[in-house]
Amino acid sequence: MKRIAVMTSGGDAPGMNAAIRAVVRTAISKNIEVFGIRQAYSGLLAGDFERLTNREVSGILQRGGTILQTARNDEFKTPQGQRRGLRRLNEQGIEGLVVIGGDGSLRGALTLHKLGFPVVGIPGSIDNDIWGTNMSIGVDTALNTILDALDRLRDTASSHERAFLIEVMGRNCGYLALMGGILGGSEVMMLPEKDMELEEVAAALEDAYLRGKNHAIAVIAEGSKHKIYDVQKYLESHNVGFEVRVTILGHIQRGGSPTAFDRLLATRMGVRAVELLTEGVCGVMVGLDGREMSGVPLEDVTSKVRSVNPEYFHMAEVLSR
Ligand code: ADP
Ligand code: F6P
């Protein structure tokens, strides 16, 4: 294998640059040329390839976002688009591809694998909804961003004796809300996997008020059944004791300098992805299995749903009282 390409796709995640850097430097150490594909599958279809050397990936380890940018592209979801993408790779003399992204991006990678093209995926998404890996790149950084926000909001909530409703990202996965709630010490967590009815939320916050707490925090996953403003409306019409305020964290959860954990995870995954390609192990995603890096079939990754560890549900129940 003498020439490979790398792309970042889907929602960006802190640590993607560390993974790009590891892919490039590992490949060059094996005398393999590396091309970056700008803007994910859109760039692939446009034939937007840019040679990457050690210089281009210098000084990016600590940077959030992705120097290759990312995009969402519907054409690549079609067989015609996939064939055009394959044609672009062959025109450029690319012999292997590393796709860094979420479950959708990895579905795209699987289509190239099924067309016979050597591809290895790296899980990059703050949602932590990708099956086959304990953690995806960006999750730890996003979780620390959430905890920083919760700690700040707790300060003002305590000053004013308020209840704060805080919406976090995660698409249809409640991992960030659950872990943010547990580690941020919230009284309530609302998750797609384990939703609470509005009456239960009101009862929990009123209980906190009656027990003399000077504030209360409810973390609400964006994919929850009840949306944050409906929860606010219900609470205000049922007088739980606290005044209620709402904060939607939004895209600050996607930015920031990657934590040490994410830098190490991304680096290890980038190195392993190139090793797998050169070993001829393709059609897999690099997954964190305990402390080890494994190669997990993309077929499995894209057909199974990563569930939240039930041990955490129990922990949340006990610790949120
Ligand atoms: P993420 O990778 O973060 O889950 P998306 O679900 O938006 O983000 O997917 C990113 C891109 O991956 C899409 O815009 C599309 O180009 C490609 N993609 C997603 N699903 C598929 C699919 N089933 N087949 C081919 N390409 C796909
Ligand atoms: O998949 C990552 C993610 O941040 C989700 O948590 C969120 O719902 C989505 O991307 C937001 O997408 P966009 O950046 O296109 O608004």
Side-chain angles (χ1 to χ4, degrees), residues 296-318:
V296 187
L298 284 170
E299 195 72 62
D300 294 342
V301 170
T302 56
S303 59
K304 298 181 180 183
V305 178
R306 187 182 185 282
S307 54
V308 178
N309 183 341
E311 173 206 337
Y312 292 143
F313 288 133
H314 177 65
M315 203 188 287
E317 193 62 39
V318 168

Side-chain angles (χ1 to χ4, degrees), residues 72 125-127 169-171 222 251 254:
R72 294 190 164 113
S125 167
I126 66 167
D127 301 344
M169 282 185 163
R171 208 177 297 193
E222 64 176 343
H251 285 70
R254 287 259 291 277

Side-chain angles (χ1 to χ4, degrees), residues 4 124 130 258 291 309:
I4 67 170
I130 300 170
R291 298 167 60 88
N309 183 341

Side-chain angles (χ1 to χ4, degrees), residues 117-303:
F117 193 83
V119 61
V120 170
I122 291 178
S125 167
I126 66 167
D127 301 344
N128 209 23
D129 58 352
I130 300 170
W131 190 89
T133 184
N134 293 351
M135 289 285 270
S136 296
I137 292 169
V139 175
D140 186 66
T141 305
L143 188 52
N144 279 285
T145 299
I146 291 168
L147 292 179
D148 180 66
L150 286 180
D151 293 347
R152 291 168 187 271
L153 290 169
R154 181 188 303 285
D155 291 344
T156 179
S158 306
S159 306
H160 290 265
E161 298 213 350
R162 285 170 170 166
F164 266 77
L165 309 182
I166 299 153
E167 183 188 276
V168 300
M169 282 185 163
R171 208 177 297 193
N172 301 316
C173 177
Y175 179 86
L176 287 174
L178 180 60
M179 298 313 288
I182 292 173
L183 303 177
S186 74
E187 282 70 25
V188 168
M189 284 149 264
M190 298 177 74
L191 319 169
E193 297 87 349
K194 190 172 181 293
D195 233 315
M196 290 177 76
E197 289 311 323
L198 294 172
E199 297 78 2
E200 290 177 87
V201 177
L205 294 179
E206 185 174 21
D207 179 53
Y209 179 78
L210 295 174
R211 280 187 286 125
K213 286 196 162 186
N214 68 3
H215 70 280
I217 302 277
V219 179
I220 304 176
E222 64 176 343
S224 290
K225 171 181 159 188
H226 296 295
K227 301 307 170 193
I228 193 163
Y229 289 116
D230 296 335
V231 178
Q232 179 188 24
K233 204 165 137 195
Y234 183 90
L235 294 176
E236 286 175 342
S237 63
H238 288 72
N239 190 0
V240 295
F242 294 112
E243 267 190 285
V244 179
R245 289 293 185 273
V246 164
T247 297
I248 296 177
L249 296 186
H251 285 70
I252 64 164
Q253 298 164 92
R254 287 259 291 277
S257 179
T259 57
F261 180 90
D262 271 332
R263 294 183 199 194
L264 177 59
L265 181 68
T267 299
R268 292 184 70 195
M269 288 183 161
V271 170
R272 192 70 192 114
V274 174
E275 290 173 344
L276 288 168
L277 275 178
T278 55
E279 291 162 12
V281 180
C282 304
V284 299
M285 174 193 78
V286 181
L288 177 64
D289 178 9
R291 298 167 60 88
E292 300 309 316
M293 289 288 131
S294 62
V296 187
L298 284 170
E299 195 72 62
D300 294 342
V301 170
T302 56
S303 59

Side-chain angles (χ1 to χ4, degrees), residues 9-11 41 72-73 76-77 82 102-105 107-108 111 171:
S9 173
Y41 294 109
R72 294 190 164 113
N73 180 290
F76 196 74
K77 294 182 180 179
Q82 291 148 21
D103 59 329
S105 303
R107 281 191 185 81
T111 65
R171 208 177 297 193

